[in-house]
RNA sequence: CGGGGCAUAGCGCAGUCUGGUAGCGCACCUGCUUUGGGAGCAGGGGGUCGCAAGUUCGAAUCUUGCUGCCCCGACCA
């Protein structure tokens, strides 16, 4: 079972001291700094604070009506479910529930990057224009780059990407081929001043991106670094509940000659894509894939089937290489992009290493992007129904939505509290709807925010010592005995997550 | 950046043509009733009508300028 993401919890805990209302909770500051608290599951930490996620105390501003500006379903649902709020064109605030999703996506991405041998660091959002003058991109990048000046009238910019900066970091410290290969990544906010931002966080100006940068002595080893990210991406998207297909891509303004986009199929996709149906069923590389081994056969298998975006599509080749009943032509959303671009930056910026022969040569580089903020929207595009979002279990903001149908009833209240405590102790994240809204409103709201498992506690069932559980994805409900409910729900949550494990 | 549209309460909208006390539904607050799929009744709060000039006795409404936002296209994680 993967580790639960701590950042969301940390930020939540950090907010507590600012509110006098919580000052009666004792000892939490000390508890928080203890190692055992941090190593425990998220739920256990919250429980330790004695501050459960009661909806009555939470901040979840959902909307019953759809804001007029939202065109596509993910944008509508993200606004309605209180995940995001637009602050300016293409610029969004992430509300608590949305932030939890974003952190979970980040964490899956992080785990797979780490597994593939990439090393995390964190570069700033603001960069010096001088760095970009070195590579020549300061003039090339155009108006998409947000240019700013500091108080000394120095030219700065809000980074749209980090090739220059990582190259600068690399060249300052790495001088020998013995330190290669190296792959450094960070997960940081980027800004691209899109002419027309749209579709919410799918195509925003400010967006969160995981960008990794590989450094190798020559093209062959760079190819291996590329393959490692290729495999990591296949695993990452699968764990997020997505079937992403690598497609040959144009390398765009970043440049280079080996490049693939990872595309998921969705009706609202921005681009037209064509591929062989076989790709949809190819097995995802397993968790124990050896990243040190030759990954070429694995990658080549994926690349042996036809797959292309409309820009790279050739009708003739498509029809010649794919039998008619296997031809898929659909719309797709780009969720990742990997490039090999050789010495495009290392050469002009002087990032050189000495080879075994003592000769210095520019390193061969690649860059590898995934947009977690965009993924949140893409996942909703791929997983929703008329009632709202259906989160894949691994990235759901909470595992369980616990509904108390009668907030003023001592019996249901006690049953909910007991269930809540038992589930949290088992490491299950629970959002407890203890509000006094009506049943219908609670059900609709819970469906909207899409938690994988709903637990409904009402006076009727309780009279027979039962509660009801419902899975959001399939909609199945069943009554189960109260005394085994916690164990059963825990099992459902674990099974739901297990279904996404690869 | 070309083309089109919109801007009135947190959200969805009417009112603008034809200038005269700023409205409706949802949400919010109070009370009572209700309580297993977005309850009912009664009462209540919330608005520089995007901004600025102008015309007028009087501007949400007419004029001009500006700004913001959305949609289509070209471009992109």
């Amino acid at each position: 079972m993967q580790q639960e993401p701590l950042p969301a919890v940390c930020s939540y805990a950090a907010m507590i001291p600012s509110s006098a209302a919580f000052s009666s909770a004792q000892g939490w500051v000390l508890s928080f700094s203890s190692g055992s608290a941090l190593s425990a599951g998220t739920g256990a930490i919250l429980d330790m604070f004695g501050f459960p996620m009661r909806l009555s105390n939470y901040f979840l501003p959902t909307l019953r009506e759809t804001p007029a500006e939202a065109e596509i379903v993910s944008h509508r649902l993200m606004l309605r479910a209180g995940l995001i709020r637009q602050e300016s064109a293409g610029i969004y605030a992430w509300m608590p529930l949305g932030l939890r999703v974003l952190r979970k996506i980040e964490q899956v991405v992080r785990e797979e990057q780490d597994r593939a041998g990439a090393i995390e660091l964190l570069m700033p959002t603001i960069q010096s224009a001088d760095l970009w003058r070195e590579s020549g991109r300061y003039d090339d990048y155009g108006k998409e780059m947000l240019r700013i000046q500091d108080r000394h009238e120095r030219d700065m910019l809000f980074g749209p990407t980090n090739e220059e900066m990582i190259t600068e970091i690399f060249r300052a410290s790495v001088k020998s081929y013995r330190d290669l290969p190296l792959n450094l990544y960070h997960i940081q906010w980027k800004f691209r001043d899109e002419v027309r931002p749209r579709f919410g966080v799918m195509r925003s100006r400010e967006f969160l991106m995981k960008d990794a940068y590989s450094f190798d002595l020559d093209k062959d080893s760079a190819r291996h670094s590329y393959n490692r990210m290729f495999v990591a991406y296949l695993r990452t998207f699968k764990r997020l509940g997505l079937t992403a297909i690598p497609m040959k891509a144009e390398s765009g303004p970043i440049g280079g000659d080996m490049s693939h986009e990872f595309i998921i199929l969705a009706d609202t996709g921005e681009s037209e894509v064509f591929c062989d149906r076989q790709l949809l069923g190819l097995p995802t590389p397993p968790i124990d894939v050896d990243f040190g081994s030759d990954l070429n056969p694995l990658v080549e298998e994926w690349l042996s089937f036809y797959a292309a975006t409309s820009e790279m599509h050739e009708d003739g080749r498509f029809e010649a290489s794919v039998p008619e009943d296997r031809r898929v032509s659909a719309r797709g959303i780009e969720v990742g992009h990997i490039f090999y671009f050789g010495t495009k930056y290392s050469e002009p910026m002087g990032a050189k290493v000495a080879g075994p022969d003592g000769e210095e040569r520019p390193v061969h580089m690649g860059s590898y992007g995934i947009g977690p903020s965009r993924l949140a929207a893409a996942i909703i595009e791929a997983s929703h129904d008329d009632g709202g979002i259906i989160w894949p279990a691994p990235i759901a903001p909470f595992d369980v939505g616990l509904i108390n149908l009668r907030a003023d009833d001592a019996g249901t209240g006690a049953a909910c509290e007991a269930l809540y405590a038992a589930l949290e102790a088992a490491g299950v994240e629970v959002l407890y709807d203890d509000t006094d809204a009506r049943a219908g409103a609670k059900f609709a709201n819970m469906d909207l925010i899409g938690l994988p498992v709903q637990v409904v506690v009402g006076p009727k069932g309780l009279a027979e010592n039962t509660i009801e559980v419902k899975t959001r994805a399939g909609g199945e409900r069943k009554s189960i005995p109260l005394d085994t409910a916690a164990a059963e729900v825990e099992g459902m949550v674990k099974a739901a997550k297990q279904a996404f494990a690869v």
Side-chain angles (χ1 to χ4, degrees):
Chain A
M1 186 59 50
Q2 74 231 32
Q3 199 187 335
E4 299 298 339
L6 284 169
V9 177
C10 295
S11 59
Y12 179 76
M15 132 198 154
I16 293 178
S18 65
S19 172
F22 305 131
S23 59
S24 61
Q26 296 112 15
W28 46 263
V29 174
L30 292 174
S31 304
F32 182 69
S33 59
S34 80
S36 61
L38 284 172
S39 62
T42 302
I45 292 176
L46 294 179
D47 213 28
M48 179 174 295
F49 287 118
F51 195 78
M53 286 300 188
R54 290 178 206 279
L55 193 55
S56 62
N57 294 327
Y58 199 50
F59 184 57
L60 180 58
T62 57
L63 301 174
R64 192 165 164 183
E65 288 173 282
T66 304
E69 76 269 13
E71 196 71 5
I72 63 169
V73 65
S74 63
H75 191 192
R76 287 201 296 262
L77 289 174
M78 289 185 86
L79 291 170
R80 284 193 54 211
L83 304 181
I84 55 170
R85 180 175 170 80
Q86 180 170 332
E87 293 301 333
S88 183
I91 298 178
Y92 291 84
W94 288 76
M95 309 298 260
L97 204 70
L99 181 62
R100 291 181 72 101
V101 172
L102 194 58
R103 292 294 191 231
K104 293 199 174 190
I105 294 171
E106 254 183 68
Q107 188 57 22
V108 170
V109 170
R110 179 176 287 118
E111 285 170 14
E112 293 302 324
Q113 289 297 113
D114 293 349
R115 196 192 310 285
I119 302 165
E120 185 171 14
L121 48 61
L122 184 59
M123 290 178 269
T125 54
I126 306 293
Q127 306 184 26
S128 161
D130 289 341
L131 210 46
W132 286 63
R133 292 193 174 105
E134 282 193 53
S135 70
R137 278 209 293 180
Y138 191 66
D139 295 324
D140 293 349
Y141 216 93
K143 299 183 93 168
E144 241 186 38
M145 182 152 72
L146 180 63
R147 295 150 205 264
I148 50 188
Q149 282 197 332
D150 67 12
R151 65 192 302 160
H152 303 293
E153 297 184 340
R154 284 183 292 233
D155 293 328
M156 312 291 283
L157 57 98
F158 196 119
T161 176
N162 286 63
E163 280 82 6
E164 282 80 358
M165 186 172 284
I166 199 73
T167 303
E168 187 281 323
I169 289 170
F170 176 90
R171 76 180 174 195
S173 308
V174 182
K175 304 292 180 188
S176 162
Y177 78 98
R178 291 166 186 257
D179 295 322
L180 302 182
L182 185 64
N183 185 323
L184 301 172
Y185 77 97
H186 74 340
I187 301 176
Q188 177 64 290
W189 294 93
K190 305 290 192 295
F191 194 93
R192 291 184 191 171
D193 200 356
E194 297 276 346
V195 188
R196 180 150 95 89
R198 62 185 121 168
F199 304 148
V201 295
M202 183 81 84
R203 180 76 175 282
S204 50
R205 293 196 293 171
E206 188 180 60
F207 59 97
L208 190 61
M209 183 158 90
K210 183 286 300 180
D211 39 329
Y213 303 90
S214 66
F215 302 89
D216 286 278
L217 185 62
D218 54 35
K219 185 164 182 179
D220 279 350
S221 47
R223 171 78 201 212
H224 183 248
S225 293
Y226 187 88
N227 287 347
R228 286 200 295 177
M229 287 294 107
F230 190 104
V231 169
Y233 275 35
L234 290 173
R235 287 189 45 77
T236 302
F237 295 125
K238 183 55 81 179
R239 282 186 58 189
L240 294 172
L242 299 171
T243 299
I245 304 166
M247 301 195 179
K248 202 162 169 41
E250 288 183 300
S251 44
I254 291 178
D257 48 13
M258 178 161 54
S259 173
H260 290 91
E261 293 178 2
F262 285 75
I263 306 265
I264 63 165
L265 304 184
D267 293 341
T268 49
E270 60 201 330
S271 51
E272 207 178 356
V273 298
F274 305 86
C275 72
D276 188 326
R277 189 175 306 281
Q278 302 278 98
L279 280 164
L280 299 171
L282 275 191
T284 306
I287 192 164
D288 57 356
V289 62
D290 180 0
F291 282 97
S293 69
D294 179 13
L295 297 170
N296 260 318
L298 200 167
V299 170
E300 288 304 328
E301 188 192 4
W302 279 84
L303 298 183
S304 66
F305 296 96
Y306 187 95
T309 58
S310 55
E311 301 85 43
M312 304 294 283
H313 177 65
E314 299 162 56
D315 262 328
R317 208 163 61 78
F318 188 43
E319 284 164 22
S321 60
V322 185
E324 191 163 3
D325 59 334
R326 283 181 12 208
R327 284 178 211 152
V328 175
S329 119
R331 303 208 60 87
I333 300 169
E334 180 182 349
V335 289
H337 203 154
I338 61 179
F339 302 88
Y340 162 75
F341 47 75
T343 60
K344 178 176 167 115
Y345 301 97
S346 55
E347 185 113 44
M349 295 185 65
K352 296 181 202 163
V353 293
D357 54 7
E359 288 289 311
E360 282 198 332
R361 62 203 76 179
V363 284
H364 287 249
M365 296 173 58
S367 74
Y368 314 90
I370 292 182
S373 51
R374 159 179 275 202
L375 268 172
I379 289 165
I380 293 171
E381 289 293 331
S383 184
H384 66 271
D385 63 16
D386 290 346
I389 300 168
I390 303 172
W391 287 116
I395 58 156
F398 292 91
D399 300 318
V400 170
L402 173 60
I403 296 178
N404 182 351
L405 282 183
R406 291 287 297 270
D408 58 352
D409 181 286
T412 59
C416 284
E417 295 287 344
L419 271 173
Y420 184 92
L423 288 169
E424 288 283 316
V428 176
E429 295 176 355
V430 182
L431 179 64
Y432 172 25
D433 184 350
D434 62 331
T435 63
D436 62 0
R438 298 174 66 80
K442 292 188 176 208
F443 292 141
N445 217 38
M446 205 54 90
D447 284 350
L448 174 63
I449 67 175
L451 306 183
V453 177
Q454 295 174 11
V455 176
V456 182
V457 179
K460 289 180 189 166
L462 217 48
E464 295 160 15
N465 264 311
T466 64
I467 57 141
E468 188 176 274
V469 292
K470 171 182 157 183
T471 54
R472 176 65 181 88
E476 311 90 10
R477 322 153 170 230
K478 59 177 177 179
S479 287
I480 60 175
L482 177 62
D483 49 346
T484 58
E488 188 149 346
V489 171
E490 181 190 348
M492 288 173 69
V493 167
K494 298 231 157 103
K497 287 185 177 174
Q498 195 58 38
F500 291 88
V502 283

